[in-house]
Amino acid sequence: MIALVRLVDDGALKGEAGDQLAADLRAWDRGFKDLFTRAMSVLDSLQPSGPGKGAAPR
């Protein structure tokens, strides 16, 4: 994603449209990183079902 922002910033798409695209890409990148961070936090908070038991049966 950041590579696309760099391309736009370096002049691949000029003018107001390029500025808007770069801003949109940065916002998308921040949102994706936040989502990933929250998902990892949820995984870190999970507790095992018991010593040596692994996943619960279905």
Side-chain angles (χ1 to χ4, degrees), residues 12-25:
L13 183 62
K14 296 181 181 186
E16 194 173 317
D19 294 342
Q20 183 62 48
L21 179 59
D24 290 346
L25 289 171

Side-chain angles (χ1 to χ4, degrees), residues 36-58:
F36 181 78
T37 300
R38 284 184 273 150
M40 294 305 292
S41 178
V42 168
L43 290 175
D44 285 343
S45 70
L46 295 176
Q47 298 294 321
S49 59
K53 291 186 180 179
R58 292 183 179 201

